[in-house]
Amino acid sequence: MPDAFAEVALNIAVERTFTYRVPANLRALVEPGRRVRVPFRNRCVVGYCVALSDSTELKRVLDVAGVMDKEPLVSPQILKLTRWLAEHYCCSWGQALDAAVPAGVKRGAQQRTETMVQPTAATGDLRATVEELENRSPKQARALEVLSSLEHEVTVQELARLAGCTTGPIRGLGKKGLAKFVRRKVIDDPLLALQAKRQLPLELEPAQKAAFNRILQACNRKQAAVVLVHGVTGSGKTEIYLQAIGEVVARGQGAIVLGPEISLTPQAVRRFKERCDRVSVRHSHLTESQRGEQWRHIRSGRTQVVVGARSAIFAPMPNLGLIVVDEEYDSSFKQDAVPRYHARDVAVARGRLEGTV
């Protein structure tokens, strides 16, 4: 079997990548976009495999020690984008890659689970069971009565709130065989509670129509292009974005919408939910579990529109058709920690690399 070598980018302030030999037992696992463990300066560190080759001019090469991920965390498109970012903003490729992947994904944050409680007592015996419990444990009786009246599963904590007790009496029901507990994966969607009724597009004014047509013409050419939409607050720019996104989504493509963190209110996100079925968000107020879940939704192609702050420009949208940078003059698009970048300029670079408007 011929040798295989991996080029690895480390999250350190060194511009170059490092070459490691891929052992035979890891050949099927090491590929560009996956993280690997490698020896570096008498310790083991984590880096990103960015390329593979079958030869090297180096005389002494250390082996890859292990593979961190079951599948690549970084797509070929994001590899190209982070390479450009590293060269343009004078940081290492590893630093750029580390900024592109959410912390929850790197730490392997899994979908959250919760303990749900269900009744086990037969309906006919319920009244007698509750009466028997009332003499010895009124709180358990109340919890069982509430539990039996519910038409859906609840968590232990939620049942305790509804029954006006602590979780102790509910656990006691389990010991007596009157309730059972099951672990369920929680749909950790930050938009789940956001009620949004489908809205039809509004009639565009002549100036809006002219701007919309310019964007649509650029999308129809299927080439990279930059369009500046200029208008005062309240002039209807958002409606132009929404209708342009609608055209892109209808073609089976996705869109990324960047906005200042302060503007990403539930009301603002609701406008996108009113037009598109599958919307994901990325901002600093999400938990690690939520960020990981949203990232997986986007990468799988289940998301039509990503709405987020500056880091959303790295969203792994597989078939990107449009990028919108709303209020592009806002200073919050500038990252002030390494890697220091301007999300507006990164958006233009991603559009150029992927042939996106």
Side-chain angles (χ1 to χ4, degrees):
M1 182 181 292
D3 286 336
F5 300 90
E7 291 299 315
V8 178
L10 302 178
N11 185 17
I12 58 175
V14 177
E15 289 185 21
R16 55 166 289 199
T17 59
F18 297 85
T19 304
Y20 292 88
R21 191 179 74 87
V22 182
N25 64 315
L26 297 179
R27 298 273 173 89
L29 301 176
V30 177
E31 62 179 314
R34 286 201 201 191
R35 292 177 303 160
V36 293
R37 291 193 308 276
V38 294
F40 184 77
R41 293 178 181 171
N42 299 319
R43 59 195 177 100
C44 204
V45 299
V46 175
Y48 292 82
C49 174
V50 295
L52 291 171
S53 63
D54 55 11
S55 64
T56 180
E57 296 180 355
L58 298 174
K59 302 215 185 261
R60 181 174 177 268
V61 182
L62 299 177
D63 284 359
V64 172
V67 179
M68 299 286 292
D69 311 304
K70 295 180 179 178
E71 54 189 334
L73 298 187
V74 185
S75 66
Q77 293 85 355
I78 300 300
L79 276 175
K80 292 177 185 177
L81 181 64
T82 51
R83 181 62 175 165
W84 171 88
L85 189 149
E87 293 173 351
H88 188 75
Y89 290 103
C90 300
C91 65
S92 75
W93 196 354
Q95 289 171 324
L97 282 163
D98 216 52
V101 182
V105 175
K106 288 180 286 194
R107 293 190 184 116
Q110 298 299 314
Q111 191 172 358
R112 190 164 54 87
T113 61
E114 286 186 346
T115 301
M116 314 299 288
V117 57
Q118 302 172 342
T120 58
T123 306
D125 302 328
L126 176 62
R127 188 67 256 167
T129 305
V130 170
E131 289 176 356
E132 185 180 341
L133 279 174
E134 280 176 343
N135 297 325
R136 292 175 296 162
S137 179
K139 290 183 179 180
Q140 283 187 3
R142 173 61 182 160
L144 180 59
E145 192 172 26
V146 171
L147 178 61
S148 301
S149 68
L150 296 174
E151 297 180 354
H152 55 83
E153 285 185 333
V154 291
T155 64
V156 173
Q157 291 76 15
E158 180 66 9
L159 178 59
R161 186 186 67 79
L162 293 172
C165 65
T166 64
T167 59
I170 299 170
R171 301 289 180 189
L173 290 176
K175 292 177 181 177
K176 292 177 179 176
L178 298 174
K180 63 179 179 179
F181 305 99
V182 293
R183 297 292 292 180
R184 295 265 193 253
K185 287 186 176 181
V186 177
I187 300 175
D188 211 359
D189 185 353
L191 301 181
L192 199 60
L194 195 62
Q195 300 297 322
K197 294 182 180 179
R198 180 52 63 93
Q199 300 291 330
L200 295 174
L202 303 177
E203 186 71 30
L204 296 179
E205 298 292 333
Q208 289 175 301
K209 187 71 174 176
F212 170 73
N213 286 337
R214 283 284 299 277
I215 298 171
L216 197 58
Q217 288 166 8
C219 290
N220 288 338
R221 287 194 294 269
K222 298 182 180 179
Q223 295 176 347
V226 179
V227 180
L228 175 64
V229 181
H230 181 68
V232 297
T233 301
S235 58
K237 297 186 295 295
T238 304
E239 183 63 27
I240 298 171
Y241 307 152
L242 288 167
Q243 295 200 20
I245 289 167
E247 291 287 337
V248 166
V249 168
R251 300 174 183 181
Q253 294 180 296
I256 294 175
V257 181
L258 305 183
E261 184 94 38
I262 197 170
S263 72
L264 299 176
T265 61
Q267 293 79 8
V269 176
R270 183 183 288 113
R271 296 194 67 179
F272 295 94
K273 285 269 288 181
E274 289 170 346
R275 300 292 183 88
C276 298
D277 297 322
R278 303 189 301 277
V279 179
S280 291
V281 292
R282 284 188 62 175
H283 53 70
S284 62
H285 299 299
L286 303 183
T287 64
E288 282 197 358
S289 171
Q290 288 174 330
R291 291 182 196 183
E293 192 64 20
Q294 293 287 291
W295 184 87
R296 284 185 282 271
H297 267 273
I298 297 165
R299 187 180 62 169
S300 69
R302 288 177 283 172
T303 293
Q304 295 170 325
V305 184
V306 179
V307 182
R310 61 176 177 264
S311 65
I313 192 54
F314 302 112
M317 183 73 77
N319 188 14
L320 185 60
L322 185 70
I323 305 172
V324 176
V325 186
D326 193 21
E327 300 184 48
E328 55 87 20
Y329 51 81
D330 195 271
S331 61
S332 69
F333 288 122
K334 295 181 180 180
Q335 167 92 355
D336 58 5
V338 176
R340 295 177 175 87
Y341 64 88
H342 197 311
R344 176 199 61 203
D345 298 339
V346 179
V348 173
R350 183 167 185 182
R352 187 174 64 250
L353 290 169
E354 297 191 37
T356 298
V357 177

